[in-house]
Amino acid sequence: MKKNNHLVRMISQPTQLDYAFADSPFGRILLAATSMGLCAITMVNDEAEALTNLAERFPGSSLQEDAINLPKLAAQLFDRTSGALAVSVVTVGTPVTSTPIEEPLVLHLKGTPFQLKVWEALLSIPLGETRSYNWVAREIGQPGANRAVGTAVGANPVFYVVPCHRVIRSDGSLGQYYWGQAVKASILDWEQRAI
């Protein structure tokens, strides 16, 4: 069953971020959330370095470890029995009453309006399918903006949940991926086996 989730643009710097490290089928990850919703998921090679990078992305925000909610969310994200995540969009200013692990899942993302449009388009790509950068550009009403779309795809702050791994080149090759082509291929294979 699909879950209805929300993407909300981060307007101001959060004062506090909850974070947790967890395991995924593709390696160790770091999750972070504001009081409004999930704001970051990154792959991790070194936990101290990952926390430093998170603090640099959100200067002035205090970091607090969450040993319960975010690890539970990580388990839910990669649970094949729960179905694929689907994220819908709400406009800024719409009251959001959920926490990061309740339904609907809120993505509270820092990005430009263009980036948010691209990430919204990525959320519409079904589990087990791929689309081209050109498709994304057309989907957001800016055909020919493939390069800008590629840059926005690469800036995705929420590993796996916003499925930038489902965007490939028009010739069918995987193309670039922030976490490396081997990880991208592994995720796509894992999703294919999940459907």
Side-chain angles (χ1 to χ4, degrees):
M1 169 183 274
K2 296 239 181 215
K3 300 177 177 94
N4 294 317
N5 303 296
H6 302 289
L7 188 153
V8 177
R9 183 175 182 210
M10 187 180 294
I11 302 295
S12 60
Q13 190 69 16
T15 56
Q16 178 178 317
L17 291 180
D18 292 336
Y19 76 89
F21 292 97
D23 292 316
S24 80
F26 320 108
R28 194 91 169 131
I29 58 173
L30 168 65
L31 300 91
T34 68
S35 60
M36 186 173 277
L38 191 64
C39 64
I41 303 178
T42 61
M43 293 197 70
V44 173
N45 289 321
D46 176 281
E47 291 187 1
E49 182 181 340
L51 275 180
T52 299
N53 292 340
L54 181 66
E56 288 172 355
R57 284 177 53 202
F58 296 93
S61 299
S62 65
L63 302 180
Q64 177 176 318
E65 187 170 10
D66 174 356
I68 298 170
N69 294 326
L70 289 174
K72 182 178 174 183
L73 173 61
Q76 292 171 348
L77 292 175
F78 300 105
D79 178 3
R80 289 181 190 231
T81 62
S82 67
L85 288 173
V87 182
S88 60
V89 178
V90 293
T91 57
V92 175
T94 301
V96 179
T97 57
S98 64
T99 64
I101 65 164
E102 293 177 348
E103 293 296 333
L105 178 67
V106 175
L107 301 180
H108 190 205
L109 304 182
K110 185 191 292 190
T112 67
F114 180 82
Q115 288 173 325
L116 288 157
K117 269 187 180 181
V118 169
W119 300 335
E120 289 166 16
L122 301 183
L123 293 168
S124 71
I125 304 172
L127 180 74
E129 296 184 21
T130 58
R131 298 292 187 270
S132 69
Y133 294 97
N134 188 33
W135 178 89
V136 176
R138 287 191 323 271
E139 190 72 9
I140 65 169
Q142 296 195 24
N146 296 6
R147 201 173 285 248
V149 163
T151 300
V153 168
N156 170 25
V158 188
F159 167 77
Y160 187 76
V161 174
V162 174
C164 58
H165 56 275
R166 295 182 192 153
V167 182
I168 61 172
R169 291 184 175 157
S170 296
D171 66 6
S173 64
L174 290 182
Q176 296 182 10
Y177 186 61
Y178 187 87
W179 305 107
Q181 281 190 349
V183 172
K184 185 173 189 173
S186 177
I187 296 171
L188 292 172
D189 179 62
W190 188 80
E191 289 186 341
Q192 278 292 322
R193 289 185 281 123
I195 54 176

